[in-house]
Amino acid sequence: MQQNAVQELKKIFEAAQSLCEKYGVEISVPRVMSRQTKRDNVPHPTPEEYFRRTIFVPFVDSFILHLDERLLSHDQILRSFAVIIPSENKNQEVNEVALRQLYAAYEHLLDAELFEIVLGEVKLCYTVWKENNKTPKTAMDALAFLLQNNTKLFPNVEALLKIFVTIPVTTASNVRTFSTLRRLKTYLRNTTR
């Protein structure tokens, strides 16, 4: 959308224009002054051009920035979780650098006082999965295997897997919850006397 902003906004603008014609609303731009400091004052030959420059392009840029901030900044930590789950086509070696990053990020939630304890658990877990021919493909499979076999030998691996399967990608559900709570509390305040 950012690269094809003209075409993308043209589609949106045509849909908005048809709705405005249906309801008898005229599309206009805010008044432009020679020296305006409180809002965007970009040169524009048409309303479509004005809305593209002042609303559409900044919104798309902001959206991309927020996606990068929420998803890509945690990319390295999320990639570190992959070290716990061995892949079938890979050599069954533990990536110690990635595991060390994972340990550093979550050591306050683990029972292990030393990194070597977690490393040993992961290596032993790899061995158990290999012996049982149960190489997990996902974190949920690995966690289900540990929970089904009631294995208490790997408390730190189990804790890391639980963290991994419960990490939200975004906080949208939390925001929605608070928004709903705010409406409910306002409704209750208005009805209580």
Side-chain angles (χ1 to χ4, degrees):
M1 288 183 94
Q2 185 183 32
Q3 294 172 348
N4 299 323
V6 175
Q7 290 85 10
E8 293 293 330
L9 182 67
K10 188 169 207 61
K11 294 176 200 172
I12 296 169
F13 194 77
E14 287 172 357
Q17 204 168 21
S18 67
L19 282 173
C20 287
E21 288 172 4
K22 180 179 176 182
Y23 294 109
V25 176
E26 182 182 339
I27 296 178
S28 63
V29 297
R31 186 177 54 175
V32 177
M33 303 295 285
S34 60
R35 186 171 176 215
Q36 192 167 2
T37 58
K38 301 296 183 201
R39 63 175 174 220
D40 291 331
N41 194 20
V42 296
H44 60 279
T46 63
E48 182 179 348
E49 183 78 14
Y50 174 81
F51 289 116
R52 181 173 53 84
R53 289 181 180 181
T54 59
I55 295 172
F56 185 73
V57 172
F59 172 76
V60 171
D61 289 343
S62 172
F63 189 76
I64 290 170
L65 182 69
H66 286 296
L67 279 177
D68 286 347
E69 184 180 302
R70 284 186 180 221
L71 301 177
L72 298 180
S73 64
H74 303 294
D75 186 46
Q76 192 60 38
I77 291 291
L78 291 175
R79 286 181 192 268
S80 298
F81 276 107
V83 75
I84 300 172
I85 306 156
S87 121
E88 291 178 4
N89 57 4
K90 281 187 182 176
N91 194 347
Q92 293 291 326
E93 293 295 319
V94 178
N95 182 348
E96 290 188 34
V97 175
L99 187 61
R100 193 173 293 278
Q101 286 179 331
L102 198 59
Y103 176 75
Y106 295 106
E107 70 179 311
H108 62 283
L109 298 173
L110 302 175
D111 291 334
E113 294 177 12
L114 298 172
F115 166 73
E116 287 72 23
I117 296 171
V118 177
L119 179 63
E121 279 187 31
V122 172
K123 286 182 178 181
L124 188 59
C125 212
Y126 275 26
T127 306
V128 168
W129 283 327
K130 189 175 182 179
E131 287 175 0
N132 291 323
N133 292 327
K134 296 277 187 184
T135 305
K137 295 188 186 329
T138 64
M140 285 299 292
D141 293 342
L143 186 60
F145 177 80
L146 290 178
L147 294 175
Q148 284 173 353
N149 293 321
N150 201 13
T151 309
K152 297 295 179 193
L153 297 173
F154 315 111
N156 296 306
V157 173
E158 185 178 326
L160 286 172
L161 285 170
K162 284 180 181 177
I163 291 168
F164 185 46
V165 299
T166 57
I167 288 178
V169 177
T170 67
T171 59
S173 59
N174 302 338
V175 172
R176 280 195 301 268
T177 303
F178 285 118
S179 176
T180 306
L181 182 64
R182 188 177 303 122
R183 279 189 305 220
L184 178 65
K185 287 176 79 172
T186 303
Y187 171 76
L188 290 174
R189 285 186 190 122
N190 291 341
T191 57
T192 316
R193 298 234 174 204

